[in-house]
Amino acid sequence: MELMSVAQKYKMNVVLIHIRNHIAQQDPPFIREETAFLIYALAQKYGLRAEALQAARCTLSFSTLTIRDLHKEGRLIMMPGDALHELWTYHKRVRSNLMRDIEVFRTSNAKVILGDSSCASLTDLGIPSWIDGYVNSIGTTPVPAFVDLTEFHMELAKHICGQSQGGNQCTSCADIPSGTIRAFWGALTTVVNGSIAKVDSDFALAIEIPRSEYQPGSPGFSPSPSPSPRKYLDMSNADVILQSSSFINFKVHKSVLATSSPFFRDMFSLPQPSSDELVDGLPVVHLSEDEVVLNSLISMLYPVHPEMPYSVDNILSLLAAAEKYDMTAVQSSIRAEISGNALLTHTPKAFRMYAIACNKGLIPEMKSAARLTLDYPLTFEKLGNALRSFEHWALSDLADFHQECKATFSAHLMSFLDKSNPYSQLWVGCSAVRTRWQPENDDLPPWLENLIRQYLTQDTLTLAIPKSSKLGTMYLGALQAHVNEMDCHNCMKVHVLRGEQFLVQINWGLALARNVRGRIGMRSSFSETPPPRGLELHHLMESPAVS
């Protein structure tokens, strides 16, 4: 794959054709179901659209494409979120297009090709139900698979033998001419392949899609307020200029920067190059932060009211800038301001917050945002466009964290199904389990057991950990329905006398699950990369940007 990317980079078309011809002759095929996901990841990495699209098509044969399955198979770590988002989006477009085109084929073309049938089981469209079911399954399966003539003949054989009609054999369908079957199969495969081909034109490499925040119409989009005007462009008696990535100049004081940041103290202590750029007679330091973040950062250095950004991205960028320039006191001030004003508690954007915090190496924010994501299932649908911001390791670590937290919660709930648990013994005597033959039955009331088991039977990544308020509401609703149906005085009495204690024990498990330490932040490459020091700094005044 790397060889092809080099040939493509230098426009060696003959070499590229030679490599692809060599690949096409391999047996087994180079791109097949077992290798499709890895090759898709590599093709995205090296910018090979033809191979990425071919591999994406091959993944359509996967029975499902979910975060749960990819994590279970160890595939999440293979690619960054933007490439994974494009694959998931491709699957969605194919499925949507197929459902529409298959429906048109069923209602318009199938009957014309098959002609009149004497099958005992016909649909309202006049098509044998087994054919209609097979065709319909192509457009309605979770992830559409390629049509297979062998499967079609197997469905025909089962229908003829009566295995799909309650034991009634069908001689009519056994007499369908082979030419009719070939014509029907040719038309069906043309529809399927044409439907997928229409989607192929919209397929894009991840490097072609900007990693922007939610766009209007995408899941989780909410417009941010307009940023406040820049207030700190020209501090009196300034002796240095900090220039933002958008070439906005901020006139500030070297002494303030040096006092707050060892990074700038070291920079200003070094002899400056004679070729320094000057603006209004002041030296210029080019920084990679934009003017919104730089304006906020400067406000944290002076005795003025801090100007905190509005958007999640800018808040985290501000923190990252303070960390990059080794402004320890400023980091503490920013985090205090964030905490006091609940600026990073927007749970609808929790996944986006986590991804950006990972990208910027902000471990405390990574952990806080990861806990906020526990309010939601970890699925492609819920992640939406936020998936584009994920590094490959970040999504894998988050999946591990969800599984650890939910396993802890499930283990705690399991303890309440144990009859020896004193909080389970409280409910002995429920009228729903007491019978004439077992008046002292100590089983847990069905309403309570069902409430507990619904959090034990679901997949750990598609299940959100409930908040205590939601769990309390569900508990009261289940109890009320039980009392109304069974007129159970026992359960109502237990609730009045000991219900609050019981809920405290349940909620203790919730708190335990939400405070699992997990591995969040352990794989962040930023945690091991110190800021530049000493002689490395003498280049910074001349470089186009401090990265």
Side-chain angles (χ1 to χ4, degrees), residues 191-267:
V191 168
V192 172
N193 292 332
S195 183
I196 297 175
K198 285 186 284 187
V199 176
D200 289 350
S201 60
D202 296 327
F203 180 82
L205 292 172
I207 57 176
E208 300 170 351
I209 305 172
R211 280 190 170 190
S212 57
E213 196 169 350
Y214 302 114
Q215 300 297 319
S218 67
F221 172 78
S222 58
S224 300
S226 300
S228 58
R230 300 180 293 275
K231 296 182 180 179
Y232 307 109
L233 292 174
D234 192 2
M235 308 300 288
S236 60
N237 301 317
D239 54 3
V240 70
I241 289 176
L242 299 183
Q243 188 176 87
S244 73
S245 59
S246 49
F247 306 105
I248 302 298
N249 292 334
F250 291 81
K251 296 180 179 180
V252 293
H253 303 89
K254 290 182 179 180
S255 59
V256 172
L257 294 174
T259 302
S260 305
S261 165
F263 179 96
F264 286 106
R265 183 175 65 242
D266 291 349
M267 175 187 290

Side-chain angles (χ1 to χ4, degrees), residues 508-524:
W508 179 79
L510 278 176
L512 193 67
R514 287 179 174 273
N515 285 282
V516 169
R517 293 184 65 182
R519 301 177 59 204
I520 297 298
M522 293 179 64
R523 280 200 276 199
S524 173

Side-chain angles (χ1 to χ4, degrees), residues 62-262:
F62 291 1
S63 57
T64 58
L65 184 71
T66 64
I67 291 178
R68 176 198 64 189
D69 291 340
L70 294 178
H71 181 60
K72 183 179 178 181
E73 296 160 3
R75 289 175 168 174
L76 280 186
I77 201 72
M78 290 184 182
M79 72 174 79
D82 46 7
L84 188 56
H85 183 276
E86 180 58 25
L87 182 62
W88 172 64
T89 304
Y90 175 75
H91 275 244
K92 281 205 311 179
R93 289 196 297 258
V94 168
R95 182 169 63 247
S96 175
N97 220 43
L98 261 179
M99 289 179 65
R100 182 170 56 251
D101 291 348
I102 285 295
E103 183 61 23
V104 172
F105 177 78
R106 286 177 59 242
T107 56
S108 303
N109 300 339
K111 176 66 167 61
V112 174
I113 298 171
L114 293 170
D116 294 331
S117 173
S118 301
C119 179
S121 178
L122 294 175
T123 66
D124 294 339
L125 298 171
I127 305 170
S129 57
W130 71 271
I131 293 181
D132 190 59
Y134 175 81
V135 172
N136 194 47
S137 69
I138 297 172
T140 58
T141 48
V143 179
F146 291 114
V147 288
D148 188 336
L149 183 58
T150 301
E151 291 182 3
F152 180 81
H153 279 293
M154 288 176 63
E155 290 297 322
L156 171 60
K158 287 195 294 185
H159 172 71
I160 293 173
C161 296
Q163 296 179 20
S164 59
Q165 295 297 325
N168 298 322
Q169 298 182 354
C170 181
T171 57
S172 174
C173 289
D175 295 331
I176 297 178
S178 58
T180 300
I181 291 179
R182 283 196 298 272
F184 177 81
W185 187 253
L188 177 61
T189 52
T190 298
V191 168
V192 172
N193 292 332
S195 183
I196 297 175
K198 285 186 284 187
V199 176
D200 289 350
S201 60
D202 296 327
F203 180 82
L205 292 172
I207 57 176
E208 300 170 351
I209 305 172
R211 280 190 170 190
S212 57
E213 196 169 350
Y214 302 114
Q215 300 297 319
S218 67
F221 172 78
S222 58
S224 300
S226 300
S228 58
R230 300 180 293 275
K231 296 182 180 179
Y232 307 109
L233 292 174
D234 192 2
M235 308 300 288
S236 60
N237 301 317
D239 54 3
V240 70
I241 289 176
L242 299 183
Q243 188 176 87
S244 73
S245 59
S246 49
F247 306 105
I248 302 298
N249 292 334
F250 291 81
K251 296 180 179 180
V252 293
H253 303 89
K254 290 182 179 180
S255 59
V256 172
L257 294 174
T259 302
S260 305
S261 165

Side-chain angles (χ1 to χ4, degrees), residues 18-39:
H18 177 72
I19 297 171
R20 284 174 171 153
N21 284 340
H22 176 72
I23 289 174
Q25 295 172 22
Q26 291 190 1
D27 186 20
F30 181 62
I31 301 178
R32 55 190 186 277
E33 186 172 339
E34 307 91 84
T35 63
F37 195 83
L38 175 59
I39 291 177

Side-chain angles (χ1 to χ4, degrees), residues 347 485 512:
T347 51
E485 180 183 359
L512 193 67

Side-chain angles (χ1 to χ4, degrees), residues 308 315 319 333-344 365:
M308 294 300 294
I315 291 173
L319 257 177
S333 298
I334 295 172
R335 287 190 166 111
E337 188 73 19
I338 289 171
S339 177
N341 293 287
L343 295 176
L344 291 182
E365 286 65 38

